[in-house]
Amino acid sequence: IDIGGILDVRLRVQIADTPALRERGLSGRESLDPFDGMLFAFNDPNSTLWMKGMLFPLDIIWISSDGRVADITENAQPDSYPEKFHSRSPADYAAEVPAGFVRAHHISIGDSVSL
């Protein structure tokens, strides 16, 4: 996916578009490369994510149906489980990326996203 804000950023993502893939997510992985992530495709724009089984922190970029960053969750910690994270605005997608990615690439709510 491409995210355009101050900088244009291209991410390589795995797609989590089935219930089993969404439930497993990135659990059990030890790390992500700096421009890798996972894209969750939801059936409900009010979906949530959790950090069950995660071994490292993440930033979550919530994406609306019109291709904009709807919300951002920074530095979600593995020990936060069973807390659930959600977008404050409707989001049909969420991209999980390494913690610090959002700040390093100046990603903001309203930035355009092309999937």
Side-chain angles (χ1 to χ4, degrees), residues 17-98:
D17 58 358
T18 68
L21 289 173
R22 285 191 293 267
E23 185 173 336
R24 185 176 67 231
L26 295 168
S27 298
R29 285 203 185 170
E30 297 203 9
S31 66
L32 278 175
D33 287 338
F35 290 92
D36 285 352
M38 179 165 275
L39 181 69
F40 291 80
F42 300 123
N43 296 325
D44 175 357
N46 298 307
S47 293
T48 60
L49 294 173
W50 59 28
M51 297 292 285
K52 183 179 182 180
M54 285 300 301
L55 302 175
F56 57 93
L58 295 170
D59 288 347
I60 304 168
I61 304 166
W62 303 91
I63 304 164
S64 66
S65 62
D66 68 352
R68 298 273 175 199
V69 175
D71 201 3
I72 296 169
T73 302
E74 290 187 73
N75 204 30
Q77 293 293 316
D79 64 0
S80 64
Y81 179 78
E83 179 182 355
K84 293 182 179 179
F85 297 95
H86 66 278
S87 177
R88 293 170 290 186
S89 298
D92 291 327
Y93 305 93
E96 290 183 339
V97 295

